[in-house]
Amino acid sequence: MIQPQTHLNVADNSRARELMCIRVIGASNRRYAHIGDVIVAVIKEAVPNTPLERSEVITAVIISTRKELKRDNGMIIRYDDNAAVVIDQEGNPKGTQIFGAIARELRQLNFTKIVSLAPEVL
Amino acid sequence: MRLEKCWFCSSTVYPGHGIQFVRNDAKIFHFCRSKCHKNSKMKRNPRKVKWTKAYRRLHGKDMTQDSTFEFERKRNRPERYDRNLAENTLKAIKKIDKIRSDRASDHIKNRLKTGKVQRQKEAMKQLELGIHLVKAPLALAQDSSLCLPKIKVNVSQAQTEENQPMEE
């Protein structure tokens, strides 16, 4: 359940460290974003001397949430933190490595590049 | 579909039950119900919580080593489907389960055997002290045949042979 002002960790090596959600993409008054949703975020903390810098507005897709993800087969998955991966307008990740286990839902939402880079898919 | 073990209490988690928690290092913890999940969130150590299998095994309350446990090892290689194999496996599961539970209950019975003599002594003592609840003291005094039969229990110190009715 990510909403504007939520701070998220960055789960890839795209040189950003922490993002703050500004907007949930989807509908005009959409409240919350879950795993697999695209958000607009601002970079709150970045690795110094890199192309991405602080207070830059980027889009990201949410990889993991502390709020449980419920599947149709009854499986419920909860992560330890809220994390996102920085993407561009087409949905390709900006980084080259993904950290952490990725939920299978991302494959159905056509984030295949992210899923292929992930070390583990749940 | 895979039957997991609850990380906290070690019971089987069937599909559709419980929560899986994924830690940041990608280690997955399965919980069978919210009781175990909440206990784990409280950072309780299952080895110290009395009702978990981990505690019971650690403190010798339950059977730890047995050949029947070998059958339940986690196997990551998928088996090619063979009807005969599947049928035999299902039959074997039932048999092995029965053998394992019989051995486990035997283990517990043996463990509790040593307390039997102690419990008998305590019961005798309690009967002597509380004989007035069983039979009225007056009745005992009048009719001596209603006296308690003398049961000898082997103890180190000498026991009183006669049962004196309690006097108020």
Side-chain angles (χ1 to χ4, degrees):
Chain A
M1 279 173 77
I2 310 296
Q3 57 181 348
Q5 300 287 316
T6 305
H7 283 243
L8 300 132
N9 293 332
V10 175
D12 59 4
N13 62 350
S14 64
R15 302 302 189 275
R17 283 271 170 75
E18 198 176 310
L19 309 171
M20 182 178 84
C21 174
I22 296 178
R23 186 83 181 147
V24 176
I25 301 292
S28 69
N29 57 350
R30 183 148 173 204
R31 286 195 169 84
Y32 307 115
H34 298 279
I35 291 181
D37 293 336
V38 177
I39 58 165
V40 179
V42 67
I43 297 177
K44 281 293 193 184
E45 192 187 318
V47 175
N49 306 323
T50 49
L52 287 179
E53 42 180 50
R54 199 180 166 284
S55 71
E56 200 178 306
V57 175
I58 43 101
T59 43
V61 65
I62 293 175
I63 295 289
S64 59
T65 51
R66 278 222 188 89
K67 179 73 182 159
E68 308 88 27
L69 166 73
K70 288 188 185 178
R71 289 205 178 139
D72 287 342
N73 59 1
M75 207 189 291
I76 300 180
I77 300 178
R78 203 175 77 90
Y79 287 86
D80 202 11
D81 65 349
N82 302 313
V85 161
V86 180
I87 58 172
D88 60 10
Q89 288 305 321
E90 279 92 62
N92 299 322
K94 262 218 174 115
T96 50
Q97 263 184 332
I98 310 275
F99 307 120
I102 301 291
R104 217 170 288 274
E105 274 71 7
L106 287 172
R107 185 176 287 146
Q108 279 117 38
L109 293 163
N110 293 321
F111 290 107
T112 46
K113 193 98 193 307
I114 295 178
V115 173
S116 66
L117 287 171
E120 192 181 335
V121 180
L122 283 177
Chain B
M1 183 194 82
R2 179 161 237 169
L3 299 180
E4 306 284 352
K5 291 280 177 198
C6 174
W7 181 79
F8 199 80
C9 65
S10 315
S11 61
T12 21
V13 188
Y14 284 87
H17 288 260
I19 291 187
Q20 296 181 18
F21 171 64
V22 183
R23 209 165 54 178
N24 279 335
D25 56 0
K27 182 161 194 306
I28 306 174
F29 297 86
H30 302 269
F31 298 108
C32 62
R33 56 198 195 282
S34 68
K35 176 179 181 181
C36 302
H37 189 38
K38 284 176 183 163
N39 267 299
S40 150
K41 273 203 265 186
M42 268 194 265
K43 297 199 171 169
R44 282 197 183 152
N45 188 353
R47 283 156 177 265
K48 292 195 175 176
V49 179
K50 295 255 171 79
W51 51 270
T52 58
K53 233 7 182 188
Y55 176 94
R56 291 184 65 84
R57 287 206 186 114
L58 186 71
H59 290 77
K61 312 281 184 189
D62 273 350
M63 196 169 61
T64 42
Q65 278 167 334
D66 196 37
S67 50
T68 47
F69 291 142
E70 304 289 313
F71 294 105
E72 246 191 276
R73 281 279 166 75
K74 181 171 178 176
R75 290 163 186 82
N76 282 321
R77 220 167 29 135
E79 293 280 335
R80 176 155 291 186
Y81 178 73
D82 178 27
R83 193 197 168 110
N84 287 330
L85 181 68
E87 201 180 314
N88 290 337
T89 310
L90 283 170
K91 283 191 202 152
I93 287 175
K94 268 198 185 149
K95 193 98 207 311
I96 292 167
D97 220 40
K98 185 174 181 317
I99 293 174
R100 190 190 57 229
S101 49
D102 283 346
R103 287 189 192 173
S105 51
D106 282 343
H107 174 99
I108 293 176
K109 232 188 282 180
N110 286 334
R111 187 168 59 86
L112 294 174
K113 229 190 255 183
T114 51
K116 203 166 169 188
V117 172
Q118 178 73 17
R119 282 198 290 272
Q120 248 184 345
K121 276 197 315 189
E122 282 171 12
M124 266 303 296
K125 190 84 198 279
Q126 198 180 26
L127 188 56
E128 279 181 42
L129 291 175
I131 192 64
H132 63 285
L133 295 168
V134 177
K135 274 267 181 281
L138 234 46
L140 267 180
Q142 286 166 7
D143 191 358
S144 60
S145 70
L146 286 176
C147 229
L148 277 178
K150 293 168 191 173
I151 304 170
K152 283 227 168 137
V153 178
N154 292 331
V155 286
S156 51
Q157 71 251 34
Q159 223 188 6
T160 53
E161 294 295 296
E162 291 212 350
N163 292 306
Q164 302 292 335
M166 297 264 304
E167 292 187 359
E168 296 288 292

